[in-house]
């Protein structure tokens, strides 16, 4: 994997670049649609995801391991072949999903035991077997097995948690560096910075992660309920330390405003379920602000969903029609709203990229942050 920096903003830490992977080049800043179980929910034909020019999609080790399972993925020749997607894929390592999706779980030095949220069966994830699993899935970029430190937590818990994440990272690197890719193309392992909302722990973790000298670095333990100001403060501390010449991936972020503020703090890669998960209950992100399409005020508004958008469904369908579909729980409503939101997120980060390159990012970002935060 190769990262090329193409432009650096003069008034912020924002930068534009390109990441070359075995499945093609990603232009940054980038938003990665979350295709949890091998698809982007409600937008099941990923030809549609193609329409929205998604450059890379995100999968989850936890979900894919449970269903369809490693045997099927191995026989398919990996996830790319299984879902017939020939562009880059990134998989999260499962640490966060076990923490956020399962009740019964135990975290020990060896790893995490948990019960499947699907059928209650018992499983153990360790740094080693999560590396082996991500080799079988075959994503271009894979994540280290970490503990996403819960929020809030006291200082001592955060310190012990990040020390274990660092020990697990060493085990991930040893395993990854001593195994080969299974399908003939290289994969890249990103370590993950933790440290909760404690400045000194974030500095310690960022220095430790940077010392592993991997090809890209991720920031975890944020977008877990902390106030946005805390998120920005921790991102600023960490991007101060992570090497400039490597991509920085802020996990699970976020709202359009979160994304713009973190681009200005030097983040290159984002993922979040928000655009698709919130779309299903009618939350639409637009250039002018947030629309709750179920609101009475759109009942007889026959204007296009978003006239300025170059997405077909935004132009040919009205707000009134989408309101009707969502209120009627029609699948088409979820599909249109999900497509719209994904397209908006991809437009937003591409617009940011172009403005970083032409030097107009900073003023535009400050204007957009005001507009994007308002409820229409
Ligand atoms: N391996 C690893 N993965 C992570 C994924 C994350 N995802 C998040 N936040 C997602 C938060 C999130 C969840 C749901 C919705 C939709 C409902 O409004 C939006 C945001 N934080 C995260 C932290 C980590 C982390 O430390 N380590």
């Amino acid at each position: 994997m190769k990262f090329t920096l193409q432009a650096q903003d003069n008034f912020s830490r924002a930068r534009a670049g390109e990441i070359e992977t075995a499945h093609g080049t990603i232009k940054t800043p980038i938003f990665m649609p979350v295709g949890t179980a091998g698809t982007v929910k409600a937008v099941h034909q990923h030809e549609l995801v193609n329409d929205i020019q998604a450059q890379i999609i995100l999968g989850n080790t936890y979900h894919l391991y449970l269903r369809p399972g490693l045997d099927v993925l191995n026989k398919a020749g990996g996830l790319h072949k299984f879902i017939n997607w020939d562009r880059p894929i990134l998989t999260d390592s499962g640490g966060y999903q076990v923490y956020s999706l399962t009740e019964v779980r135990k975290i020990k030095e060896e790893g995490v035991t948990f019960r499947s949220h699907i059928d209650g069966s018992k499983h153990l994830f360790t740094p080693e077997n999560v590396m082996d699993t991500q080799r079988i899935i075959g994503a271009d970029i894979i994540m280290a097995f970490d503990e996403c430190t819960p929020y809030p937590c006291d200082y001592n818990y955060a310190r012990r948690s990040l020390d274990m994440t660092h020990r697990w990272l060493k085990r991930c690197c040893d395993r990854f560096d001593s195994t080969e890719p299974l399908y003939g193309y290289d994969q890249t392992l990103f370590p993950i910075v933790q440290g909760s909302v404690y400045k000194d722990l974030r500095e310690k973790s960022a220095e430790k992660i940077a010392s592993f000298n991997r090809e890209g670095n991720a920031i975890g333990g944020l977008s877990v309920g902390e106030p946005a100001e805390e998120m920005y403060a921790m991102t600023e501390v960490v991007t101060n330390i992570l090497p400039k010449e490597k991509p920085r991936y802020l996990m699970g972020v976020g709202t359009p405003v979160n994304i713009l503020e973190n681009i200005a703090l030097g983040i290159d890669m984002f993922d979040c379920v928000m655009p698709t998960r919130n779309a299903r209950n009618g939350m639409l992100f637009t250039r002018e602000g947030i629309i709750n399409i179920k609101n009475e005020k759109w009942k007889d508004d026959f204007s296009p969903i978003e006239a300025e958008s170059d997405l077909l469904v935004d132009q040919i369908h009205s707000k009134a029609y989408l309101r009707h579909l969502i209120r009627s729980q029609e699948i088409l409503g979820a599909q249109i709203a999900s497509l719209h939101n994904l397209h908006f997120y991809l437009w937003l980060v591409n617009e940011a990229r172009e403005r970083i390159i032409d030097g107009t990012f900073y003023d535009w970002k400050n204007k957009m942050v005001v507009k994007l935060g308002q409820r229409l």
Side-chain angles (χ1 to χ4, degrees):
M1 191 197 89
K2 187 162 152 293
F3 180 55
T4 312
L5 260 183
Q6 292 169 317
Q8 170 66 51
D9 183 43
N10 294 324
F11 306 97
S12 75
R13 290 187 187 166
R15 72 263 190 89
E18 284 191 355
I19 301 174
E20 266 174 72
T21 74
H23 284 90
T25 301
I26 305 160
K27 296 181 185 309
T28 64
I30 180 81
F31 180 78
M32 303 181 282
V34 181
T36 296
T39 172
V40 186
K41 285 197 173 35
V43 182
H44 41 275
Q45 296 95 6
H46 59 242
E47 297 74 33
L48 293 173
V49 180
N50 266 336
D51 292 355
I52 57 177
Q53 304 303 313
Q55 299 176 68
I56 175 171
I57 56 174
L58 199 118
N60 264 304
T61 297
Y62 171 81
H63 294 87
L64 292 165
Y65 163 86
L66 291 175
R67 204 171 36 185
L70 301 184
D71 186 40
V72 167
L73 288 170
N74 205 351
K75 282 180 182 152
L79 182 60
H80 288 86
K81 290 230 172 67
F82 186 60
I83 66 173
N84 189 23
W85 172 265
D86 62 1
R87 294 194 209 154
I89 296 177
L90 182 148
T91 44
D92 195 357
S93 54
Y96 176 79
Q97 287 72 35
V98 170
Y99 148 75
S100 61
L101 283 172
T102 64
E103 276 75 52
V104 188
R105 65 184 177 277
K106 273 176 67 62
I107 300 177
K108 297 186 303 253
E109 186 63 36
E110 187 199 9
V112 181
T113 53
F114 62 93
R115 286 196 177 281
S116 158
H117 74 289
I118 297 169
D119 64 9
S121 54
K122 228 170 120 112
H123 301 271
L124 165 69
F125 274 2
T126 66
E128 291 77 13
N129 69 25
V130 160
M131 291 298 106
D132 296 346
T133 296
Q134 292 184 90
R135 283 285 195 203
I136 292 171
I137 295 171
D140 301 275
I141 301 174
I142 73 170
M143 304 312 288
F145 188 62
D146 61 331
E147 184 195 358
C148 173
T149 310
Y151 176 84
C153 73
D154 65 41
Y155 183 87
N156 276 328
Y157 185 98
R159 189 176 44 73
R160 282 201 311 277
S161 170
L162 91 78
D163 285 343
M164 184 162 71
T165 285
H166 292 169
R167 289 194 299 275
W168 282 359
L169 173 57
K170 172 84 174 65
R171 287 167 55 187
C172 287
C173 292
D174 290 349
R175 182 61 164 224
F176 180 81
D177 294 343
S178 62
T179 55
E180 290 299 318
L182 298 178
Y183 310 120
Y185 53 83
D186 272 343
Q187 297 173 277
T188 302
L189 168 64
F190 279 19
I192 303 173
V193 177
Q194 293 292 340
S196 188
V197 291
Y198 300 103
K199 191 171 180 300
D200 62 321
L201 294 184
R202 281 285 171 183
E203 286 167 346
K204 177 183 172 187
S205 189
E207 273 145 17
K208 183 75 176 174
I209 266 52
S211 74
F212 277 77
N213 202 21
R214 306 303 297 196
E215 294 172 297
N217 297 299
I219 303 173
L222 292 175
S223 190
V224 286
E226 79 286 357
E229 296 317 317
E230 292 274 17
M231 176 202 283
Y232 303 148
M234 292 305 106
T235 301
E236 182 165 17
V237 161
V238 172
T239 58
N240 224 4
I241 294 167
L242 290 183
K244 279 172 56 72
E245 71 283 357
K246 308 269 179 84
R248 300 159 181 158
Y249 166 27
L250 180 55
M251 304 186 83
V253 173
T255 67
V257 168
N258 293 157
I259 287 176
L260 290 186
E261 294 296 7
N262 281 297
I263 286 174
L265 289 169
I267 300 296
D268 309 294
M269 300 165 72
F270 300 88
D271 85 276
C272 194
V273 294
M274 187 167 271
T276 45
R277 187 170 302 174
N278 293 29
R280 296 200 283 275
N281 54 45
M283 178 189 240
L284 301 181
F285 297 100
T286 78
R287 289 157 179 75
E288 297 310 316
I290 296 169
I291 290 178
N292 178 347
I293 201 65
K294 288 193 282 196
N295 192 308
E296 183 79 17
K297 70 192 285 192
W298 310 109
K299 189 172 168 32
D300 46 16
D301 180 331
F302 303 109
S303 67
I305 293 167
E306 186 156 37
E308 308 91 321
S309 159
D310 60 6
L311 184 69
L312 188 63
V313 288
D314 280 343
Q315 295 159 3
I316 62 173
H317 290 310
S318 71
K319 295 182 178 75
Y321 177 50
L322 182 54
R323 178 175 179 276
H324 162 68
L325 291 174
I326 293 286
R327 285 170 57 90
S328 321
Q329 306 257 313
E330 286 292 338
I331 298 271
L332 182 59
Q335 285 179 315
I336 292 173
S338 294
L339 260 179
H340 165 82
N341 280 349
L342 283 177
H343 182 266
F344 177 75
Y345 268 63
L346 292 163
W347 169 82
L348 186 70
V349 296
N350 188 57
E351 188 72 11
R353 172 185 162 81
E354 291 184 358
R355 288 173 175 280
I356 292 165
I357 291 169
D358 75 14
T360 61
F361 169 76
Y362 197 64
D363 294 340
W364 171 79
K365 186 270 287 185
N366 290 332
K367 199 161 50 45
M368 283 306 282
V369 156
V370 173
K371 287 199 337 184
L372 294 176
Q374 58 188 25
R375 295 225 166 231
L376 300 178

